[in-house]
Amino acid sequence: MEKGRVTDKALGENALFGMGNPLLDISAVVDKDFLDKYGLKPNDQILAEDKHKAMFDEIAKKSKVEYHAGGSTQNSVKIAQWMIQTPHKVATFFGCIGTDHFGEILKQKAEEAHVDARYYQQTQEPTGTCAACITGDNRSLVANLAAANCYNKEKHLDLDGNWELVEKAKVYYIAGFFLTVSPESILKVAKHASENNKIFSLNLSAPFISQFFKEAMMKVMPYVDILFGNETEAATFAKEQGFEETDDIAEIARRAQSLPKVNKKRQRVVVFTQGKDDTVATIGEKVTMFSVLDIDQNDIVDTNGAGDAFVGGFLSELVQERPLEECIRAGHYAANVIIRRAGCTFPEKPDFP
């Protein structure tokens, strides 16, 4: 790292806590016959059905198969840890996996990324996977949540040894996807953060979360200090909340900021990314626009992990108590690195000036 970017020496292990759906991303180059066999479009994102079961075994047998620890929250905390570099294990991650080979790979990948992953392992369901079937510049994603859906608050989060790690953290991040799995776990963590004046952040994650998991989301919202999302998610959220101005992203951010909040010591910050367009953030009473880093279209390999990467970069500065402008700059840097590569992967070290 450049001079002046020395990591805060007071930054201890487990300062950043994430909880979500751990998925093993399995990517391989396939041909059109493979896509046709399993009824896949070249560029798509779907949830696995019964007809896709055998596909996961088949893709794993491909000669140049790559495995990456995936899942939205896990991606973000992994990128935050990469941006921080040392100490290791600043980032903690909780989620549910199976007792199987893929689960072992996830453990190994988390270890390589220096993330302190404490998985809840159960035997009912196999480890969740996301198959990335690559043909040329296209990738068809098929997600099978499986074990990720089995996270159990009583059997994991509530255990003393695990809850101690929650208490050690000062910044918390959970993707909205986890609202479909264990809203009670999210609430317990969110309330702890609020009661101890620590920072709890949530991501809108996908339009369907705001639509179909609205009740669970709005139970958590009063504890949310930082709300992340992209322009599509923001518009859906505004519509579902009955905001009048659903096409003005700055107004949506302002309205989301002023929703009821329990911890009055911290004003809510709302951060909406818009792909190549400016990132919108509420800073104090103002809504500010931040331009993203320029990139040549030809250098873009895969925009799929951009949102997770933005959050990861943001969190890496936030946990070091740097100003919001710096958090956003780091988010833009991380996203710019990730979209040049396939999958949510990164070079050995960041070069964040």
Side-chain angles (χ1 to χ4, degrees):
M1 284 205 176
E2 307 290 313
K3 274 184 184 160
R5 301 294 314 164
V6 180
T7 301
D8 180 352
K9 286 288 178 275
L11 197 58
E13 288 187 359
N14 312 110
L16 172 64
F17 177 85
M19 181 165 59
N21 299 334
L23 302 175
L24 183 71
D25 290 344
I26 309 167
S27 58
V29 173
V30 300
D31 55 20
K32 189 179 177 301
D33 291 344
F34 184 93
L35 296 181
D36 292 345
K37 180 177 175 182
Y38 294 107
L40 302 175
K41 293 176 190 160
N43 219 4
D44 205 7
Q45 217 168 341
I46 62 166
L47 283 176
E49 298 168 41
D50 282 346
K51 66 179 180 184
H52 301 119
K53 291 261 159 68
M55 186 203 73
F56 286 88
D57 293 330
E58 191 176 334
I59 199 167
K61 292 191 177 85
K62 296 274 173 197
S63 60
K64 286 187 179 165
V65 64
E66 284 190 20
Y67 293 96
H68 301 288
S72 184
T73 306
Q74 185 163 245
N75 282 342
S76 293
V77 299
K78 194 168 67 162
I79 284 160
Q81 180 64 56
W82 169 72
M83 288 282 286
I84 290 163
Q85 289 284 305
T86 55
H88 291 166
K89 296 191 173 179
V90 169
T92 315
F93 178 76
F94 284 9
C96 183
I97 60 175
T99 312
D100 52 18
H101 176 57
F102 284 169
E104 290 308 310
I105 295 175
L106 263 193
K107 284 185 187 172
Q108 183 196 329
K109 292 289 177 186
E111 207 170 299
E112 286 169 11
H114 307 301
V115 169
D116 193 359
R118 305 293 177 105
Y119 296 114
Y120 167 54
Q121 278 190 282
Q122 45 72 62
T123 52
Q124 298 335 103
E125 286 281 341
T127 296
T129 45
C130 181
C133 311
I134 300 163
T135 50
D137 291 341
N138 293 318
R139 60 206 308 271
S140 195
L141 302 173
V142 186
N144 179 25
L145 291 185
N149 223 3
C150 302
Y151 188 80
N152 186 304
K153 175 177 168 288
E154 288 74 25
K155 290 183 179 169
H156 194 263
L157 185 69
D158 293 346
L159 302 182
D160 289 349
N162 291 332
W163 187 249
E164 278 166 20
L165 291 175
V166 177
E167 292 177 324
K168 264 179 93 173
K170 53 184 184 179
V171 173
Y172 302 84
Y173 173 68
I174 299 175
F177 290 122
F178 201 58
L179 286 162
T180 75
V181 174
S182 186
E184 62 282 2
S185 295
I186 301 178
L187 266 176
K188 184 175 181 181
V189 171
K191 284 177 177 170
H192 166 79
S194 183
E195 284 158 12
N196 294 278
N197 194 28
K198 299 197 275 193
I199 300 172
F200 180 82
S201 55
L202 182 79
N203 202 316
L204 294 175
S205 289
F208 82 87
I209 302 288
S210 290
Q211 290 169 304
F212 306 117
F213 295 87
K214 193 190 319 192
E215 193 184 339
M217 179 185 273
M218 296 321 287
K219 273 188 186 155
V220 176
M221 197 59 73
Y223 303 100
V224 176
D225 297 302
I226 302 176
L227 181 66
F228 295 103
N230 66 23
E231 73 278 34
T232 320
E233 294 150 10
T236 306
F237 179 74
K239 186 164 168 273
E240 291 296 326
Q241 292 303 312
F243 296 174
E244 294 85 16
E245 299 290 327
T246 55
D247 53 358
D248 177 352
I249 195 154
E251 187 53 34
I252 296 171
R254 202 177 278 115
R255 290 289 302 268
Q257 181 187 37
S258 61
L259 288 167
K261 192 164 187 303
V262 173
N263 179 10
K264 303 282 192 271
K265 292 180 194 150
R266 293 183 185 277
Q267 185 176 24
R268 181 178 295 123
V269 173
V270 179
V271 185
F272 291 145
T273 56
Q274 307 187 84
K276 64 182 187 312
D277 296 327
D278 291 1
T279 294
V280 179
T282 61
I283 298 184
E285 302 308 315
K286 294 206 303 276
V287 178
T288 310
M289 302 292 203
F290 295 87
S291 53
V292 302
L293 294 165
D294 285 336
I295 185 167
D296 187 317
Q297 282 301 111
N298 298 324
D299 291 336
I300 299 175
V301 174
D302 180 5
T303 57
N304 194 44
D308 294 341
F310 173 83
V311 172
F314 187 105
L315 294 171
S316 72
E317 294 289 288
L318 182 69
V319 79
Q320 295 176 73
E321 297 173 19
R322 300 233 167 91
L324 200 62
E325 292 82 351
E326 280 296 291
C327 297
I328 290 169
R329 203 166 69 83
H332 287 163
Y333 167 78
N336 187 275
V337 170
I338 297 303
I339 60 179
R340 298 168 189 269
R341 306 165 69 92
C344 204
T345 61
F346 34 79
E348 191 190 342
K349 287 204 165 123
D351 180 21
F352 176 58

